[in-house]
Coordinates of all heavy atoms in Angstrom, one line a residue:
M1494 N 137.2 106.4 108.2 CA 136.6 105.7 107.1 C 135.2 106.3 106.7 O 134.5 106.6 107.6 CB 136.5 104.2 107.4 CG 137.8 103.5 107.1 SD 137.7 101.7 107.5 CE 137.7 101.8 109.3
K1495 N 135.0 106.5 105.5 CA 133.8 107.2 105.1 C 133.1 106.3 104.0 O 133.2 106.5 102.8 CB 134.1 108.5 104.5 CG 134.6 109.5 105.6 CD 135.0 110.9 105.0 CE 135.4 111.8 106.2 NZ 136.2 112.9 105.8
V1496 N 132.3 105.4 104.5 CA 131.4 104.7 103.6 C 130.0 104.7 104.1 O 129.7 105.0 105.3 CB 131.8 103.2 103.5 CG1 133.3 103.0 103.0 CG2 131.7 102.5 104.8
F1497 N 129.1 104.5 103.2 CA 127.7 104.4 103.6 C 126.9 103.4 102.7 O 127.4 103.1 101.6 CB 127.0 105.8 103.7 CG 126.7 106.4 102.3 CD1 125.5 106.3 101.7 CD2 127.8 107.0 101.6 CE1 125.3 106.9 100.5 CE2 127.6 107.6 100.4 CZ 126.3 107.5 99.8
N1498 N 125.8 102.9 103.2 CA 125.0 102.0 102.4 C 124.2 102.8 101.4 O 123.3 103.6 101.8 CB 124.1 101.2 103.4 CG 123.2 100.3 102.7 OD1 123.2 100.1 101.5 ND2 122.3 99.6 103.4
A1499 N 124.5 102.6 100.2 CA 123.8 103.4 99.1 C 122.3 103.1 99.0 O 121.6 103.9 98.5 CB 124.5 103.2 97.8
M1500 N 121.9 102.0 99.6 CA 120.5 101.7 99.5 C 119.7 102.5 100.5 O 118.5 102.8 100.3 CB 120.3 100.2 99.9 CG 121.0 99.2 99.0 SD 120.8 99.6 97.2 CE 119.0 99.2 97.1
E1501 N 120.4 103.0 101.5 CA 119.7 103.8 102.6 C 118.9 105.0 102.1 O 117.7 105.2 102.3 CB 120.6 104.1 103.7 CG 119.9 104.6 105.0 CD 120.9 104.8 106.1 OE1 121.8 104.0 106.3 OE2 120.7 105.8 106.8
P1502 N 119.6 105.9 101.3 CA 118.9 107.1 100.8 C 117.8 106.7 99.8 O 116.8 107.4 99.7 CB 120.0 108.0 100.2 CG 121.2 107.1 100.0 CD 121.1 106.0 101.1
L1503 N 118.1 105.6 99.1 CA 117.1 105.2 98.1 C 115.8 104.7 98.7 O 114.7 105.0 98.3 CB 117.7 104.1 97.2 CG 118.8 104.5 96.3 CD1 119.5 103.3 95.7 CD2 118.4 105.5 95.2
V1504 N 116.0 103.9 99.8 CA 114.8 103.4 100.5 C 114.1 104.5 101.2 O 112.9 104.6 101.2 CB 115.2 102.3 101.5 CG1 114.0 101.8 102.4 CG2 115.8 101.1 100.8
A1505 N 114.9 105.5 101.8 CA 114.3 106.6 102.5 C 113.4 107.4 101.5 O 112.3 107.8 101.9 CB 115.4 107.5 103.1
E1506 N 114.0 107.6 100.4 CA 113.3 108.4 99.3 C 112.0 107.7 98.9 O 110.9 108.4 98.9 CB 114.2 108.6 98.1 CG 113.5 109.1 96.9 CD 113.7 110.6 96.7 OE1 114.3 111.2 97.6 OE2 113.1 111.1 95.8
A1507 N 112.0 106.4 98.7 CA 110.8 105.7 98.3 C 109.8 105.6 99.4 O 108.6 105.8 99.2 CB 111.2 104.3 97.9
L1508 N 110.3 105.5 100.6 CA 109.4 105.4 101.8 C 108.7 106.7 102.0 O 107.4 106.8 102.2 CB 110.2 105.0 103.0 CG 109.3 104.8 104.3 CD1 108.2 103.8 104.1 CD2 110.2 104.4 105.5
N1509 N 109.4 107.8 101.9 CA 108.8 109.1 102.0 C 107.7 109.4 100.9 O 106.7 110.0 101.1 CB 109.8 110.2 101.9 CG 110.6 110.4 103.2 OD1 110.0 110.2 104.3 ND2 111.8 110.8 103.2
E1510 N 108.0 108.9 99.7 CA 107.1 109.0 98.6 C 105.8 108.3 98.8 O 104.7 108.8 98.4 CB 107.9 108.6 97.3 CG 107.2 109.0 96.0 CD 108.0 108.5 94.8 OE1 109.2 108.4 94.9 OE2 107.3 108.2 93.8
Y1511 N 105.9 107.0 99.3 CA 104.7 106.2 99.4 C 104.0 106.2 100.8 O 102.9 105.7 100.9 CB 105.1 104.7 99.1 CG 105.5 104.6 97.6 CD1 106.8 104.5 97.2 CD2 104.5 104.5 96.6 CE1 107.2 104.3 95.9 CE2 104.8 104.4 95.3 CZ 106.2 104.3 94.9 OH 106.5 104.2 93.6
W1512 N 104.7 106.8 101.8 CA 104.2 106.7 103.1 C 102.7 107.2 103.3 O 101.9 106.5 104.0 CB 105.1 107.5 104.1 CG 104.8 107.3 105.5 CD1 104.4 108.2 106.4 CD2 104.8 106.1 106.3 NE1 104.2 107.7 107.7 CE2 104.5 106.4 107.6 CE3 105.2 104.7 106.0 CZ2 104.4 105.4 108.6 CZ3 105.2 103.8 107.0 CH2 104.8 104.1 108.3
S1513 N 102.4 108.3 102.6 CA 101.0 108.8 102.8 C 100.0 107.9 102.1 O 98.8 107.9 102.5 CB 100.9 110.2 102.2 OG 101.3 110.2 100.8
D1514 N 100.4 107.0 101.2 CA 99.4 106.1 100.5 C 99.4 104.7 101.1 O 98.6 103.9 100.8 CB 99.8 105.9 99.0 CG 99.8 107.3 98.3 OD1 98.9 108.1 98.7 OD2 100.6 107.5 97.4
I1515 N 100.4 104.5 102.0 CA 100.6 103.1 102.6 C 99.5 102.9 103.6 O 99.1 103.7 104.4 CB 102.0 103.0 103.3 CG1 103.0 102.7 102.2 CG2 102.0 101.9 104.3 CD1 104.4 102.7 102.7
N1516 N 99.0 101.6 103.6 CA 97.9 101.2 104.5 C 98.5 100.7 105.8 O 98.9 99.6 105.9 CB 97.0 100.1 103.8 CG 95.8 99.8 104.7 OD1 95.4 100.5 105.5 ND2 95.3 98.6 104.4
M1517 N 98.5 101.6 106.8 CA 99.0 101.3 108.1 C 98.1 101.7 109.2 O 97.5 102.7 109.1 CB 100.4 102.0 108.3 CG 101.6 101.4 107.6 SD 102.2 100.0 108.6 CE 102.9 100.9 110.0
P1518 N 97.9 100.9 110.3 CA 97.1 101.2 111.4 C 97.6 102.4 112.2 O 96.9 103.1 112.8 CB 97.0 100.0 112.3 CG 98.2 99.2 111.9 CD 98.5 99.5 110.5
C1519 N 98.9 102.6 112.1 CA 99.6 103.7 112.8 C 100.7 104.3 111.9 O 101.4 103.6 111.2 CB 100.2 103.2 114.1 SG 101.1 104.5 115.0
K1520 N 100.7 105.6 111.8 CA 101.7 106.2 111.0 C 102.6 107.2 111.7 O 103.1 108.2 111.2 CB 101.0 107.0 109.8 CG 100.3 106.1 108.8 CD 100.1 106.8 107.5 CE 99.7 105.7 106.5 NZ 99.5 106.3 105.2
C1521 N 102.9 106.8 113.0 CA 103.8 107.6 113.8 C 105.3 107.4 113.3 O 105.6 106.5 112.5 CB 103.7 107.2 115.3 SG 104.5 105.7 115.7
E1522 N 106.1 108.3 113.8 CA 107.5 108.3 113.4 C 108.2 106.9 113.7 O 109.0 106.4 112.9 CB 108.2 109.4 114.1 CG 109.5 109.9 113.4 CD 109.3 110.3 112.0 OE1 108.2 110.8 111.6 OE2 110.3 110.2 111.2
Q1523 N 107.8 106.3 114.8 CA 108.5 105.1 115.2 C 108.1 103.9 114.2 O 108.9 103.1 113.8 CB 108.2 104.6 116.6 CG 109.0 103.5 117.1 CD 108.7 102.9 118.4 OE1 108.2 103.6 119.3 NE2 109.0 101.7 118.6
C1524 N 106.8 103.9 113.9 CA 106.4 102.8 112.9 C 107.1 103.0 111.6 O 107.5 102.1 110.9 CB 104.9 102.9 112.8 SG 104.0 102.2 114.3
K1525 N 107.2 104.3 111.2 CA 107.9 104.6 109.9 C 109.3 104.1 110.0 O 109.9 103.5 109.1 CB 107.8 106.1 109.6 CG 108.2 106.4 108.2 CD 108.0 107.9 108.0 CE 108.4 108.3 106.6 NZ 108.3 109.8 106.3
N1526 N 110.0 104.4 111.1 CA 111.4 104.0 111.3 C 111.5 102.5 111.3 O 112.5 101.9 110.8 CB 112.0 104.6 112.6 CG 112.3 106.0 112.4 OD1 112.7 106.5 111.4 ND2 112.2 106.8 113.5
D1527 N 110.5 101.8 111.9 CA 110.5 100.3 111.9 C 110.4 99.8 110.5 O 111.1 98.8 110.1 CB 109.4 99.8 112.8 CG 109.7 100.0 114.3 OD1 110.9 100.2 114.6 OD2 108.7 99.9 115.1
V1528 N 109.5 100.3 109.7 CA 109.4 99.9 108.3 C 110.7 100.2 107.6 O 111.2 99.3 106.9 CB 108.2 100.7 107.6 CG1 108.2 100.4 106.1 CG2 106.9 100.3 108.2
F1529 N 111.3 101.3 107.8 CA 112.6 101.7 107.2 C 113.6 100.7 107.5 O 114.3 100.1 106.7 CB 112.9 103.1 107.7 CG 114.1 103.7 107.0 CD1 114.4 103.4 105.7 CD2 115.0 104.5 107.7 CE1 115.5 104.0 105.0 CE2 116.1 105.1 107.1 CZ 116.3 104.8 105.7
A1530 N 113.7 100.3 108.8 CA 114.8 99.4 109.3 C 114.5 98.0 108.7 O 115.5 97.3 108.2 CB 114.8 99.3 110.8
I1531 N 113.3 97.5 108.7 CA 113.0 96.2 108.3 C 113.3 96.1 106.7 O 113.8 95.1 106.2 CB 111.6 95.7 108.6 CG1 111.4 95.6 110.1 CG2 111.2 94.5 107.9 CD1 110.0 95.4 110.6
A1532 N 112.8 97.1 106.0 CA 113.0 97.1 104.6 C 114.5 97.1 104.3 O 115.0 96.4 103.4 CB 112.4 98.4 104.0
L1533 N 115.3 97.9 105.0 CA 116.7 98.0 104.8 C 117.4 96.7 105.1 O 118.3 96.2 104.3 CB 117.4 99.1 105.6 CG 117.5 100.5 105.0 CD1 118.0 101.4 106.0 CD2 118.3 100.5 103.7
N1534 N 117.0 96.0 106.1 CA 117.6 94.7 106.5 C 117.3 93.6 105.4 O 118.0 92.7 105.3 CB 117.0 94.2 107.8 CG 117.7 94.9 109.0 OD1 118.9 95.3 108.9 ND2 117.1 95.0 110.1
S1535 N 116.2 93.8 104.7 CA 115.8 92.8 103.7 C 116.4 93.0 102.4 O 116.3 92.2 101.4 CB 114.3 92.7 103.6 OG 113.8 93.8 103.1
I1536 N 117.0 94.2 102.2 CA 117.7 94.5 100.9 C 119.2 94.4 101.1 O 119.8 94.9 102.0 CB 117.3 96.0 100.5 CG1 115.8 96.1 100.3 CG2 118.1 96.4 99.3 CD1 115.3 97.5 100.1
T1537 N 119.8 93.7 100.1 CA 121.3 93.6 100.2 C 121.9 95.0 100.2 O 121.7 95.8 99.3 CB 121.8 92.8 98.9 OG1 121.0 91.6 98.8 CG2 123.2 92.5 99.0
P1538 N 122.7 95.2 101.2 CA 123.4 96.6 101.3 C 124.4 96.7 100.2 O 125.0 95.8 99.7 CB 124.0 96.6 102.7 CG 124.2 95.2 103.0 CD 123.1 94.4 102.4
R1539 N 124.5 97.9 99.8 CA 125.5 98.3 98.7 C 126.4 99.4 99.3 O 126.0 100.5 99.2 CB 124.8 98.7 97.5 CG 125.6 98.8 96.2 CD 126.2 97.4 95.8 NE 125.2 96.4 95.5 CZ 124.6 96.2 94.3 NH1 124.9 97.0 93.4 NH2 123.7 95.3 94.2
Y1540 N 127.5 99.0 99.9 CA 128.4 100.0 100.5 C 129.2 100.7 99.5 O 129.8 100.0 98.7 CB 129.2 99.4 101.7 CG 128.3 99.1 102.9 CD1 127.9 97.8 103.1 CD2 128.0 100.1 103.7 CE1 127.0 97.6 104.2 CE2 127.2 99.9 104.8 CZ 126.7 98.6 105.0 OH 125.9 98.4 106.1
V1541 N 129.3 102.0 99.6 CA 130.1 102.8 98.7 C 130.8 103.8 99.5 O 130.4 104.2 100.6 CB 129.2 103.5 97.6 CG1 128.6 102.5 96.7 CG2 128.1 104.3 98.3
S1542 N 131.9 104.3 99.0 CA 132.7 105.3 99.6 C 131.9 106.6 99.4 O 131.2 106.8 98.4 CB 134.1 105.4 99.1 OG 134.0 106.0 97.8
K1543 N 132.1 107.5 100.3 CA 131.4 108.8 100.2 C 131.7 109.5 98.9 O 130.9 110.2 98.3 CB 131.8 109.7 101.4 CG 130.9 109.5 102.7 CD 129.9 110.6 102.8 CE 129.2 110.6 104.2 NZ 128.6 109.3 104.6
D1544 N 133.0 109.4 98.5 CA 133.4 110.1 97.3 C 132.7 109.6 96.0 O 132.2 110.4 95.2 CB 134.9 110.0 97.1 CG 135.7 110.7 98.2 OD1 135.1 111.6 98.9 OD2 136.8 110.3 98.5
N1545 N 132.6 108.3 95.9 CA 131.9 107.8 94.7 C 130.5 107.5 94.9 O 129.7 107.3 93.9 CB 132.6 106.4 94.3 CG 134.1 106.7 93.9 OD1 134.4 107.6 93.3 ND2 134.9 105.7 94.4
G1546 N 130.0 107.5 96.1 CA 128.7 107.1 96.5 C 127.6 107.9 95.9 O 126.6 107.4 95.4
I1547 N 127.7 109.2 95.9 CA 126.6 110.1 95.4 C 126.3 109.8 93.9 O 125.1 109.7 93.6 CB 127.0 111.6 95.6 CG1 127.4 111.9 97.1 CG2 125.9 112.5 95.2 CD1 126.3 111.5 98.1
A1548 N 127.3 109.7 93.1 CA 127.1 109.4 91.7 C 126.3 108.0 91.5 O 125.4 107.9 90.8 CB 128.4 109.4 90.9
Y1549 N 126.8 107.1 92.4 CA 126.1 105.8 92.3 C 124.7 105.8 92.7 O 123.8 105.3 92.0 CB 126.9 104.8 93.2 CG 126.2 103.4 93.3 CD1 126.6 102.5 92.3 CD2 125.3 103.1 94.2 CE1 126.0 101.2 92.3 CE2 124.7 101.8 94.3 CZ 125.1 100.9 93.3 OH 124.5 99.7 93.3
V1550 N 124.4 106.5 93.8 CA 123.0 106.7 94.3 C 122.2 107.4 93.2 O 121.1 106.9 92.9 CB 123.0 107.4 95.6 CG1 121.6 107.8 96.0 CG2 123.6 106.6 96.7
K1551 N 122.7 108.4 92.6 CA 121.9 109.2 91.6 C 121.6 108.3 90.4 O 120.5 108.3 89.9 CB 122.7 110.4 91.2 CG 122.5 111.5 92.2 CD 123.1 112.9 91.6 CE 122.9 114.0 92.6 NZ 123.9 115.0 92.5
A1552 N 122.5 107.5 90.0 CA 122.3 106.6 88.9 C 121.2 105.6 89.2 O 120.3 105.3 88.4 CB 123.6 105.8 88.5
Q1553 N 121.2 105.1 90.5 CA 120.2 104.1 90.9 C 118.8 104.7 90.9 O 117.8 103.9 90.8 CB 120.5 103.5 92.2 CG 121.8 102.7 92.2 CD 121.9 101.6 91.2 OE1 120.9 100.8 91.1 NE2 122.9 101.5 90.5
Y1554 N 118.6 106.0 91.2 CA 117.3 106.6 91.2 C 116.6 106.4 89.9 O 115.4 106.4 89.8 CB 117.4 108.1 91.5 CG 117.5 108.4 93.0 CD1 118.6 109.2 93.4 CD2 116.6 108.0 93.9 CE1 118.7 109.5 94.8 CE2 116.7 108.3 95.2 CZ 117.7 109.1 95.7 OH 117.8 109.4 97.0
F1555 N 117.3 106.2 88.8 CA 116.7 106.1 87.5 C 116.6 104.7 87.0 O 116.2 104.4 85.9 CB 117.5 107.0 86.5 CG 117.5 108.4 86.9 CD1 118.6 109.0 87.5 CD2 116.4 109.2 86.7 CE1 118.7 110.3 87.9 CE2 116.4 110.5 87.1 CZ 117.5 111.1 87.7
D1556 N 117.0 103.7 87.9 CA 116.9 102.3 87.6 C 115.5 101.8 88.0 O 115.2 101.7 89.2 CB 118.0 101.6 88.3 CG 118.0 100.1 87.9 OD1 117.0 99.5 87.7 OD2 119.1 99.5 87.9
K1557 N 114.6 101.5 87.1 CA 113.2 101.2 87.4 C 113.2 99.8 88.2 O 112.4 99.7 89.1 CB 112.4 101.0 86.1 CG 111.9 102.3 85.5 CD 110.5 102.1 84.9 CE 109.9 103.5 84.5 NZ 110.5 104.0 83.3
Q1558 N 114.0 98.9 87.8 CA 114.0 97.6 88.4 C 114.4 97.7 89.9 O 113.8 97.1 90.8 CB 115.0 96.6 87.7 CG 114.9 95.2 88.2 CD 113.5 94.6 88.1 OE1 112.9 94.7 87.0 NE2 113.0 94.0 89.2
M1559 N 115.4 98.5 90.2 CA 115.8 98.8 91.5 C 114.7 99.4 92.3 O 114.4 99.0 93.5 CB 117.0 99.8 91.5 CG 117.5 100.3 92.8 SD 118.3 99.1 93.8 CE 119.9 99.1 93.0
K1560 N 114.0 100.4 91.8 CA 112.9 101.1 92.4 C 111.8 100.1 92.8 O 111.2 100.1 93.9 CB 112.4 102.2 91.6 CG 111.4 103.1 92.2 CD 111.9 104.5 92.4 CE 110.9 105.3 93.3 NZ 110.5 106.5 92.7
T1561 N 111.4 99.3 91.8 CA 110.4 98.3 92.0 C 110.7 97.3 93.1 O 109.9 97.1 94.0 CB 110.2 97.4 90.7 OG1 109.9 98.3 89.6 CG2 109.0 96.5 90.9
N1562 N 112.0 96.9 93.1 CA 112.5 96.0 94.2 C 112.3 96.7 95.6 O 111.9 96.1 96.5 CB 113.9 95.6 93.9 CG 114.5 94.7 94.9 OD1 113.8 93.8 95.4 ND2 115.7 94.9 95.3
I1563 N 112.7 97.9 95.6 CA 112.6 98.7 96.9 C 111.2 98.8 97.4 O 110.9 98.6 98.5 CB 113.3 100.0 96.8 CG1 114.8 99.9 96.7 CG2 112.9 101.0 97.9 CD1 115.6 101.2 96.3
V1564 N 110.3 99.1 96.4 CA 108.9 99.3 96.8 C 108.3 98.0 97.3 O 107.5 98.0 98.3 CB 108.1 99.8 95.6 CG1 106.6 99.8 95.9 CG2 108.6 101.2 95.3
V1565 N 108.7 96.8 96.7 CA 108.2 95.5 97.1 C 108.7 95.3 98.6 O 107.9 94.8 99.4 CB 108.7 94.4 96.2 CG1 108.5 93.0 96.8 CG2 108.0 94.5 94.9
K1566 N 109.9 95.6 98.9 CA 110.5 95.4 100.2 C 109.8 96.3 101.2 O 109.6 95.9 102.4 CB 112.0 95.6 100.2 CG 112.8 94.7 99.3 CD 112.7 93.3 99.8 CE 113.7 92.3 99.0 NZ 113.4 90.9 99.4
I1567 N 109.5 97.5 100.8 CA 108.8 98.4 101.7 C 107.4 97.8 102.0 O 106.9 97.9 103.2 CB 108.7 99.8 101.1 CG1 110.1 100.5 101.2 CG2 107.7 100.7 101.9 CD1 110.2 101.8 100.5
A1568 N 106.7 97.3 101.0 CA 105.4 96.8 101.2 C 105.4 95.6 102.2 O 104.6 95.5 103.1 CB 104.8 96.3 99.9
E1569 N 106.5 94.7 102.0 CA 106.6 93.6 102.9 C 106.9 94.0 104.4 O 106.3 93.5 105.3 CB 107.7 92.7 102.5 CG 107.4 91.9 101.2 CD 108.6 91.2 100.6 OE1 109.7 91.2 101.3 OE2 108.5 90.6 99.5
A1570 N 107.7 95.0 104.5 CA 108.1 95.6 105.8 C 106.9 96.2 106.5 O 106.6 96.1 107.7 CB 109.2 96.6 105.7
T1571 N 106.1 96.9 105.7 CA 104.9 97.6 106.1 C 103.9 96.5 106.7 O 103.3 96.8 107.8 CB 104.2 98.3 105.0 OG1 105.1 99.3 104.5 CG2 102.9 99.0 105.5
K1572 N 103.8 95.4 106.0 CA 102.9 94.4 106.5 C 103.3 93.8 107.8 O 102.5 93.7 108.7 CB 102.9 93.2 105.4 CG 101.7 92.3 105.5 CD 101.5 91.5 104.2 CE 100.5 90.4 104.4 NZ 101.1 89.1 104.8
K1573 N 104.6 93.6 108.0 CA 105.1 93.1 109.3 C 104.8 94.1 110.4 O 104.4 93.7 111.5 CB 106.6 92.9 109.2 CG 107.0 91.6 108.5 CD 108.5 91.3 108.5 CE 108.8 90.2 107.6 NZ 110.3 90.2 107.2
V1574 N 105.1 95.4 110.2 CA 104.9 96.4 111.2 C 103.4 96.6 111.5 O 103.0 96.7 112.7 CB 105.6 97.7 110.9 CG1 105.3 98.8 111.9 CG2 107.1 97.5 110.7
A1575 N 102.6 96.5 110.5 CA 101.1 96.7 110.6 C 100.6 95.6 111.5 O 99.6 95.8 112.3 CB 100.5 96.7 109.3
E1576 N 101.1 94.3 111.4 CA 100.6 93.2 112.1 C 101.1 93.2 113.6 O 100.4 92.8 114.5 CB 101.1 91.9 111.5 CG 100.2 91.5 110.2 CD 100.9 90.4 109.4 OE1 101.9 89.9 109.8 OE2 100.3 90.1 108.4
H1577 N 102.3 93.8 113.8 CA 102.9 93.8 115.1 C 103.5 95.2 115.4 O 104.7 95.3 115.5 CB 103.9 92.7 115.3 CG 103.4 91.3 115.1 ND1 102.6 90.7 116.0 CD2 103.5 90.5 114.1 CE1 102.2 89.5 115.6 NE2 102.8 89.4 114.4
P1578 N 102.7 96.2 115.6 CA 103.3 97.5 115.8 C 104.0 97.6 117.2 O 103.5 97.0 118.1 CB 102.0 98.5 115.8 CG 100.9 97.7 115.3 CD 101.2 96.2 115.5
Q1579 N 105.1 98.2 117.2 CA 106.0 98.2 118.4 C 105.8 99.5 119.2 O 106.4 99.7 120.2 CB 107.4 98.0 118.0 CG 107.7 96.7 117.4 CD 107.5 95.5 118.3 OE1 107.8 95.5 119.4 NE2 106.8 94.5 117.7
C1580 N 105.1 100.4 118.6 CA 105.1 101.8 119.2 C 104.2 101.9 120.4 O 103.3 101.1 120.6 CB 104.8 102.8 118.1 SG 103.1 102.8 117.7
A1581 N 104.3 103.0 121.1 CA 103.5 103.3 122.3 C 102.0 103.3 122.0 O 101.2 103.0 122.9 CB 103.9 104.6 122.9
N1582 N 101.6 103.7 120.8 CA 100.1 103.7 120.5 C 99.5 102.3 120.6 O 98.3 102.2 120.7 CB 99.9 104.2 119.1 CG 100.4 105.7 119.0 OD1 100.4 106.4 119.9 ND2 100.7 106.1 117.7
F1583 N 100.3 101.3 120.6 CA 99.7 99.9 120.6 C 100.1 99.1 121.9 O 99.8 98.0 122.0 CB 100.2 99.1 119.4 CG 99.5 99.6 118.2 CD1 99.9 100.7 117.4 CD2 98.3 99.0 117.8 CE1 99.2 101.1 116.3 CE2 97.6 99.4 116.7 CZ 98.1 100.5 115.9
Q1584 N 100.8 99.8 122.8 CA 101.2 99.1 124.1 C 100.0 99.4 125.1 O 99.8 100.5 125.5 CB 102.5 99.7 124.7 CG 103.6 99.6 123.7 CD 103.9 98.2 123.2 OE1 103.9 97.3 123.9 NE2 104.2 98.2 121.9
R1585 N 99.3 98.3 125.5 CA 98.2 98.5 126.4 C 98.5 97.9 127.7 O 99.2 96.9 127.8 CB 97.0 97.8 125.8 CG 96.7 98.3 124.4 CD 95.3 99.0 124.3 NE 95.0 99.3 122.9 CZ 95.2 100.5 122.3 NH1 95.8 101.4 123.0 NH2 94.9 100.7 121.1
Ligands
LIG1803 ZN1 103.1 103.8 115.6

């Protein structure tokens, strides 16, 4: 079976775009992955088949409302991780 969550590449794209501007106490790979996971969990998944998925994802890149929604979820996820970082840099 070949399906994937179409939101995943969209969130990844937005996160990569905003990561350098995001206000985080730590910007290691793990914190970034935590933000990615939390944001994805808070966004309703949209599963598509691999065959039709790419066209769907490309169309969504140009949907401003979708992008705004994703950025809001990333901001919320960032806040959670910033308050409770799980990575080694914060384990004392
Ligand atoms: Zn970190």
Side-chain angles (χ1 to χ4, degrees):
M1494 278 181 282
K1495 289 177 177 161
V1496 301
F1497 69 102
N1498 179 4
M1500 302 312 293
E1501 194 176 316
L1503 295 170
V1504 174
E1506 168 93 4
L1508 184 56
N1509 281 329
E1510 194 178 330
Y1511 291 102
W1512 188 243
S1513 58
D1514 300 326
I1515 278 171
N1516 185 22
M1517 280 279 291
C1519 177
K1520 290 202 171 180
C1521 75
E1522 202 56 29
Q1523 190 185 333
C1524 287
K1525 191 177 182 183
N1526 284 330
D1527 285 343
V1528 170
F1529 188 34
I1531 291 169
L1533 269 176
N1534 279 334
S1535 68
I1536 294 169
T1537 308
R1539 194 63 60 86
Y1540 286 98
V1541 291
S1542 70
K1543 274 258 190 307
D1544 294 338
N1545 298 320
I1547 303 304
Y1549 178 84
V1550 169
K1551 279 189 176 153
Q1553 296 304 313
Y1554 276 126
F1555 300 104
D1556 185 325
K1557 278 215 172 76
Q1558 187 58 49
M1559 172 72 79
K1560 184 115 189 233
T1561 304
N1562 182 40
I1563 289 172
V1564 172
V1565 168
K1566 297 296 186 188
I1567 288 175
E1569 288 171 6
T1571 300
K1572 197 160 171 272
K1573 279 184 195 161
V1574 176
E1576 282 168 2
H1577 302 285
Q1579 300 295 315
C1580 74
N1582 294 338
F1583 287 85
Q1584 306 303 319
R1585 310 241 185 263

